């Protein structure tokens, strides 16, 4: 603490040391501060209180089944209209083949996210889950963002609870955190006017939690949002988490503008490493009721993801194998990450690598030298 005697954040450091919750004004101050080491100190305190020296990763396989999407969000380079020459939709047989190939890697999770494709019917989704579970009965299926779940309700006319119950009976275990972006209506009207509201996103996760399903949450930052809107987004998540305790992890996603309608727009360039570390650290400090903060290495790059293990992060996500949504923006972080590379990165950062499943149950520990 004496090291931070001169810090403009000294009062907030004291609160975090005492384990007290920070409010909206404090959140904005943290996000606007340039005192990265003070933020790292606070975030690391919270991180080590919750997760000790452990740093998690998962052996998983991402599947993006279609890029056809009626929403065409302005920040997304992945979604295209059905008639676009880049449009693709995987058949159930193609999805099964990908799952069979991944079985050799001993995956514990299949993570599935896609566009809102009017050519697909509800049965396609139910059969997809059932056939993956037939091939790999023990994997966890983390699939379909709240945006897709809402689309299924509109596609079928069924109520939300019925959709979630059907999908769960077909094999769905958990919802990923995508589609949250920034909850503010002002921001959504600018970056994704066709997308469900922030309120609906929260309602879908609350309903899933009520049915006993655990889910993740994200924030998409570094475009047109203000620090107040980022803070309000995190505090809305914290409030829901107080109520349900259903969230597993929070994943800050830096906006990657390449090939999107927002490329070159004022104020929407690539985020910098400094800003990314700050965002991870501040989310760790503010979200005192989330057990895990995840750095998705695909977006941050391996170097920064590794450093973030000392700035609040306790999870690097996974082996992934194939990812299309972020890669559509031209990021060059690679696709598949061997397990031994993740273990090595974690150990070289002085942390204990723990291979986990979707629910953060430890499968194997790699304590290092
Ligand atoms: O919902 C789309 C985001 C999300 C861009 O739950 C973009 O464990 C940056 O949610 N720049 C999908 N981000 C990915 C996602 C995710 C990833 C890893 C783990 C988990 C988890 C969830 O990607 C979308 C959207 O928010 N996204 N376009 C872009 N240009
Ligand atoms: Fe469609 Fe999702 Fe991309 Fe929006 S972010 S265009 S909903 S795939």
């Amino acid at each position: 603490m004496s090291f931070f005697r001169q810090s403009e954040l000294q009062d907030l450091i004291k609160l975090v040391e005492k384990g007290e919750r920070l409010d909206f004004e404090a959140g904005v101050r943290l996000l606007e501060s340039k005192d990265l080491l003070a933020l790292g100190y606070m975030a690391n305190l919270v991180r080590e209180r919750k997760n000790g020296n452990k740093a998690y990763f998962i052996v998983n396989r991402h599947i993006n089944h279609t890029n056809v999407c009626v929403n065409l969000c302005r920040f997304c380079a992945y979604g295209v209209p059905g008639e676009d020459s880049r449009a693709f939709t995987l058949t159930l047989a193609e999805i099964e083949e990908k799952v069979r190939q991944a079985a050799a890697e001993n995956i514990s999770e299949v993570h599935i996210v896609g566009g809102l494709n009017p050519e697909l019917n509800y049965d396609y989704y139910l059969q997809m889950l059932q056939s993956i579970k037939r091939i790999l009965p023990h994997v966890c299926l983390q699939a379909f963002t709240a945006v897709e779940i809402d689309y299924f309700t509109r596609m079928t006319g069924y109520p939300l609870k019925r959709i979630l119950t059907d999908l769960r009976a077909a094999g769905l275990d958990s919802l990923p955190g995508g589609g949250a972006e920034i909850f503010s209506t002002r921001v959504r009207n600018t970056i994704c006017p066709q997308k469900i509201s922030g309120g609906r996103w929260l309602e879908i996760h609350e309903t899933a939690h009520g049915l006993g399903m655990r889910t993740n949450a994200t924030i998409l930052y570094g475009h047109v949002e203000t620090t107040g809107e980022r803070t309000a987004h995190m505090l809305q998540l914290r409030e829901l988490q107080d109520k349900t305790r259903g969230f597993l992890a929070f994943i800050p996603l830096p906006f990657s503008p390449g090939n999107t309608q927002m490329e070159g727009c004022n104020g929407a360039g690539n985020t910098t490493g400094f800003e990314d570390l700050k965002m991870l650290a501040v989310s760790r400090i503010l979200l005192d009721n989330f057990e895990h903060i995840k750095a998705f290495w695909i977006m941050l790059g391996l170097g920064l993801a590794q450093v973030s293990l000392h700035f609040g992060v306790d999870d690097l996500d996974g082996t992934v194998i194939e990812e299309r949504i972020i890669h559509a923006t031209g990021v060059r972080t690679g696709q598949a990450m061997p397990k031994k590379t993740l273990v090595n990165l974690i150990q070289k950062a002085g942390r204990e690598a723990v291979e986990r499943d979707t629910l953060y149950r430890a499968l194997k520990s790699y304590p290092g030298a």
Side-chain angles (χ1 to χ4, degrees), residues 58-119:
I58 188 164
V59 179
N60 64 355
R61 213 267 182 230
H62 280 226
I63 295 179
N64 302 124
H65 51 282
T66 182
N67 64 347
V68 174
C69 189
V70 294
N71 271 4
L72 300 178
C73 302
R74 294 188 62 237
F75 65 79
C76 178
Y78 173 73
V80 298
E83 62 280 9
D84 192 286
S85 60
R86 294 162 297 174
F88 77 88
T89 300
L90 299 180
T91 62
L92 291 175
E94 285 168 331
I95 293 171
E96 284 178 20
E97 185 48 31
K98 286 184 189 291
V99 172
R100 279 204 187 86
Q101 283 165 7
E105 311 281 334
N106 239 341
I107 55 170
S108 67
E109 175 188 271
V110 180
H111 180 110
I112 311 166
V113 176
L116 311 182
N117 183 342
E119 297 297 317

Side-chain angles (χ1 to χ4, degrees), residues 13-22 45-46 49 288:
I13 293 176
K14 284 192 184 134
L15 292 178
V16 172
E17 283 178 333
K18 284 195 269 176
E20 286 185 25
R21 176 168 272 196
L22 300 191
L45 265 184
V46 182
R49 261 181 218 145
D288 56 359

Side-chain angles (χ1 to χ4, degrees), residues 334-361:
Q335 292 273 357
M337 187 53 60
K339 176 161 126 175
K340 70 173 193 305
T341 307
L342 289 171
V343 170
N344 184 49
L345 277 176
I346 292 171
Q347 289 178 339
K348 290 271 162 61
R351 299 293 193 194
E352 175 190 346
V354 178
E355 183 179 340
R356 64 166 176 91
D357 68 5
T358 305
L359 300 175
Y360 287 82
R361 290 175 299 211

